[in-house]
Amino acid sequence: MTNSLVRVENLKKYFPVKLGLFEGWYFNPLPKRKKLYVKAIDGVSFEINRGDTFALVGESGCGKTTTGRTIVGLYRKTGGEIYFKGRPVDTVLKENPGDFRRNVQMIFQDPYSSLNPRMKVYQLISEPMRVHKLVKDRKEERERVAELMKNVGLEPEYMTRYPHQFSGGQRQRIAIARALATEPEFIVADEPISALDVSIRAQILNLMEDLQEKYGLTYLFIAHDLSVVRHISNKTAVMYLGRIVEMGDTDEIFENPLHPYTKTLFESIPSVDKVKQPLKVTIEGEVPSPINPPPGCPFHPRCPFATDRCKKERPELVEVAPGHKVACFLY
Ligand SMILES: Nc1ncnc2c1ncn2[C@@H]1O[C@H](COP(=O)(O)OP(=O)(O)OP(=O)(O)O)[C@@H](O)[C@H]1O
Ligand SMILES: [Mg+2]
């Protein structure tokens, strides 16, 4: 049996740009306008092994959520391939859609909007069990809900309450229990703590770690800054404008970041002892638009080390040390 649980190969997701009602023809009556696309993910490849916590980090808009949503099947991919346990997801979905949907779950950033406010905790957690026919009767269902609530640190006696009667952290615990209800092997957690109070973030991270061990889970953990992923992930991939620019063991990425963009991400981590940190690599400018990405290396307009080659040629992700890949001509 292979150790690989999820593998994506040259994954692409383009969104057509929606033009205003009249833009398309009235003010621009050209017979054939070139269709515009947001290249939210543009050729991403990585592998997640069983038991991994694979972190995907990068600035807002770089394509992290799109990657997660495309893998779990909420978005249809534009190109490339996704493999689950070594088999293309398209095939798996054709043969046994229920099994894939049960096995792969997602936790969202905002526990305020991801839970139906009209459902009680009991319904929220038991619904997926019923959909996937995982319980034989009402008694077993009740026991499973109570057990899951205990395992995520909630009192089972609160199962008759509504989400609004809980705090943000407790609501995220409900969302986690709901995701666990189908006994998944793989969970995509899309910034699961960034909407929460700073004081309770560590608790939710610790809970996720405990649950990983208890249930043998594999995580794709999405975060926009590196500080969050250091302790929870064993692998880290850094995304920029729809591509992975650096990837490797988390320890290696933290001790020896190579890509100029990764270095800037480290410098934006606030440190506790120094209020202001001098920036070693200063980046200027905005993230370019994924509708019309710059030619060459997507980071070159902001990179202090960019050369002429970077403006013309696109660096491929190459292995520079065992397991450590970087897409930069400097290496
Ligand atoms: N449903 C959609 N339709 C059109 N464009 C989209 C859609 N979803 C995302 N995009 C665009 O794709 C790009 C990547 O977005 P995505 O939400 O994946 O980024 P992200 O890395 O998750 O950002 P954030 O840190 O803000 O959550 C952005 O330019 C975004 O505007
Ligand atoms: Mg996002």
Side-chain angles (χ1 to χ4, degrees):
M1 194 170 74
T2 152
N3 206 21
S4 164
L5 188 65
V6 175
R7 183 158 66 88
V8 305
E9 224 175 73
N10 200 21
L11 188 66
K12 292 180 184 173
K13 176 65 193 174
Y14 298 171
F15 294 105
V17 176
K18 287 200 184 76
L19 298 171
L21 184 56
F22 297 111
E23 272 173 296
W25 57 281
Y26 190 79
F27 294 114
N28 284 309
L30 297 175
K32 268 211 174 148
R33 278 172 55 90
K34 205 174 151 223
K35 251 195 154 176
L36 292 176
Y37 291 95
V38 176
K39 297 183 173 180
I41 12 176
D42 198 16
V44 157
S45 305
F46 56 81
E47 186 165 29
I48 306 178
N49 289 328
R50 280 170 211 272
D52 271 354
T53 297
F54 187 97
L56 203 53
V57 297
E59 278 165 295
S60 186
C62 68
K64 306 179 297 293
T65 296
T66 306
T67 306
R69 286 181 161 252
T70 309
I71 292 174
V72 304
L74 290 173
Y75 291 152
R76 185 187 287 269
K77 64 182 163 54
T78 307
E81 199 57 82
I82 305 163
Y83 298 90
F84 189 67
K85 299 184 184 177
R87 303 176 63 227
V89 167
D90 292 343
T91 316
V92 176
L93 278 175
K94 251 179 235 146
E95 285 171 12
N96 196 343
D99 190 50
F100 180 77
R101 301 224 161 87
R102 185 194 64 71
N103 237 321
V104 174
Q105 291 291 325
M106 191 152 179
I107 300 168
F108 299 90
Q109 172 173 2
D110 186 2
Y112 296 88
S113 61
S114 69
L115 298 171
N116 184 339
R118 280 180 292 276
M119 281 164 90
K120 291 179 179 169
V121 174
Y122 182 84
Q123 287 173 286
L124 285 165
I125 301 176
S126 64
E127 184 191 55
M129 297 175 191
R130 231 171 295 153
V131 168
H132 292 281
K133 300 189 175 67
L134 298 171
V135 278
K136 59 177 193 304
D137 54 31
R138 187 86 181 164
K139 182 169 168 283
E140 192 189 347
E141 184 178 280
R142 219 186 141 77
E143 283 166 5
R144 285 268 298 129
V145 171
E147 185 197 329
L148 279 169
M149 288 184 71
K150 269 190 234 149
N151 288 343
V152 299
L154 293 168
E155 291 291 338
E157 65 195 67
Y158 294 157
M159 62 170 74
T160 51
R161 295 194 180 181
Y162 290 94
H164 74 261
Q165 294 173 286
F166 293 88
S167 69
Q170 287 172 321
R171 259 183 278 208
Q172 198 57 299
R173 288 175 196 267
I174 300 168
I176 292 170
R178 180 175 155 90
L180 290 175
T182 64
E183 299 163 34
E185 287 177 82
F186 180 59
I187 293 183
V188 174
D190 188 0
E191 309 216 26
I193 58 164
S194 51
L196 305 177
D197 243 40
V198 177
S199 59
I200 53 169
R201 289 180 179 176
Q203 293 172 17
I204 299 294
L205 284 185
N206 289 340
L207 172 67
M208 286 185 65
E209 273 179 322
D210 293 346
L211 294 170
Q212 177 168 44
E213 199 163 310
K214 192 175 175 92
Y215 293 104
L217 300 168
T218 302
Y219 291 134
L220 172 63
F221 190 97
I222 296 173
H224 61 260
D225 67 64
L226 277 163
S227 59
V228 171
V229 310
R230 170 112 220 208
H231 298 288
I232 194 159
S233 76
N234 61 320
K235 295 272 195 285
T236 295
V238 179
M239 270 187 99
Y240 187 79
L241 218 60
R243 297 165 169 273
I244 289 175
V245 295
E246 184 161 4
M247 170 161 73
D249 288 346
T250 300
D251 289 341
E252 170 76 4
I253 299 284
F254 274 75
E255 275 149 36
N256 188 24
L258 296 176
H259 199 283
Y261 177 63
T262 313
K263 291 181 182 175
T264 66
L265 282 184
F266 277 107
E267 272 138 25
S268 53
I269 297 177
S271 85
V272 187
D273 44 353
K274 286 179 255 164
V275 179
K276 263 191 185 166
Q277 269 192 318
L279 293 185
K280 277 180 232 94
V281 182
T282 321
I283 47 168
E284 283 168 8
E286 297 279 300
V287 182
S289 156
I291 296 178
N292 201 359
C297 171
F299 190 57
H300 89 255
R302 298 168 81 194
C303 180
F305 310 109
T307 62
D308 274 349
R309 187 180 180 199
C310 308
K311 292 175 191 161
K312 293 180 203 126
E313 236 180 280
R314 173 164 288 164
E316 292 296 322
L317 204 54
V318 291
E319 193 156 3
V320 289
H324 190 171
K325 293 182 178 176
V326 61
C328 178
F329 292 129
L330 289 173
Y331 304 96

